[in-house]
Amino acid sequence: MIETAKVKEVVEEFLGQGSTYLVDVTVTPGNDIVVTVDDDEYVDVEMCERLHRHIESRFDREEEDYSLEVGSAGITAPFVMPRQYRKNIGEEVEVLTADGKKFRGELVSVSDEGFTVSVTRKEKPEGAKRKIEVTEEIPYKYSQVKYVKKSIIFK
């Protein structure tokens, strides 16, 4: 079986310190290899093709057969690493907390330990006749959420 660590090494060697970065590599027992990359701006098809060819040049199908899929993290895929969070600062995100609460808010800051989301909701103050909008910034550690992903809203 092809080792995941070896595939990661080959991918990172190709990507170097550029704007495209490795998000995930999975290798099944049947040698089905899936490589997912992302970029600070966008991932184009040509980058995926070049990476695919580079990986193929490092593994011999005669020695060990495999299938290879190289693609970008989808627009609605959950964020996996802090760099993906940083890329989306200022964007609306959907958050599912570890205790099962789902909400939307604006991603306002990111650190190596966690992130902060600005959430606006309507509340009725005591004695008031109408609800008012209240905005609150809520910090989370990465371990406190099941997923965070970009929220796509069609108006």
Side-chain angles (χ1 to χ4, degrees):
M1 185 172 125
I2 295 174
E3 294 178 26
T4 303
K6 179 64 178 164
V7 177
K8 284 182 180 180
E9 181 182 308
V10 168
V11 171
E12 288 173 346
E13 166 191 82
F14 176 81
L15 297 176
Q17 298 299 314
S19 62
T20 303
Y21 52 93
L22 177 63
V23 173
D24 191 33
V25 171
T26 56
V27 180
T28 67
N31 278 340
D32 296 320
I33 304 168
V34 179
V35 176
T36 306
V37 295
D38 204 346
D39 191 278
D40 295 330
E41 295 295 321
Y42 63 90
V43 178
D44 61 14
V45 174
E46 290 79 18
M47 167 57 85
C48 292
E49 287 176 18
R50 289 191 312 273
L51 178 56
H52 192 281
R53 279 190 235 109
H54 178 76
I55 296 167
E56 282 185 322
S57 74
R58 300 301 172 115
F59 294 98
D60 185 1
R61 288 186 194 269
E62 298 298 322
E63 254 182 56
E64 195 162 16
D65 195 27
Y66 62 89
S67 69
L68 175 62
E69 178 183 325
V70 176
S72 65
I75 193 165
T76 59
F79 305 153
V80 176
M81 54 195 347
R83 192 166 175 179
Q84 290 177 296
Y85 285 80
R86 283 185 194 96
K87 170 183 172 180
N88 287 286
I89 289 176
E91 299 288 341
E92 184 163 326
V93 294
E94 179 180 297
V95 178
L96 178 61
T97 63
D99 59 359
K101 295 177 185 165
K102 187 188 278 189
F103 64 91
R104 289 188 174 141
E106 180 185 340
L107 184 60
V108 292
S109 67
V110 177
S111 72
D112 289 339
E113 293 77 39
F115 61 96
T116 302
V117 178
S118 176
V119 178
T120 302
R121 64 180 182 284
K122 294 196 178 224
E123 280 186 6
K124 186 174 179 184
E126 191 174 319
K129 292 184 179 184
R130 296 181 185 209
K131 291 183 177 183
I132 61 169
E133 283 191 352
V134 177
T135 301
E136 176 183 17
E137 289 192 359
I138 307 169
Y140 285 97
K141 293 191 182 309
Y142 296 117
S143 61
Q144 293 177 301
V145 296
K146 289 185 180 177
Y147 71 75
V148 177
K149 60 185 180 178
K150 194 168 183 172
S151 182
I152 307 297
I153 299 174
F154 298 100
K155 294 183 182 185

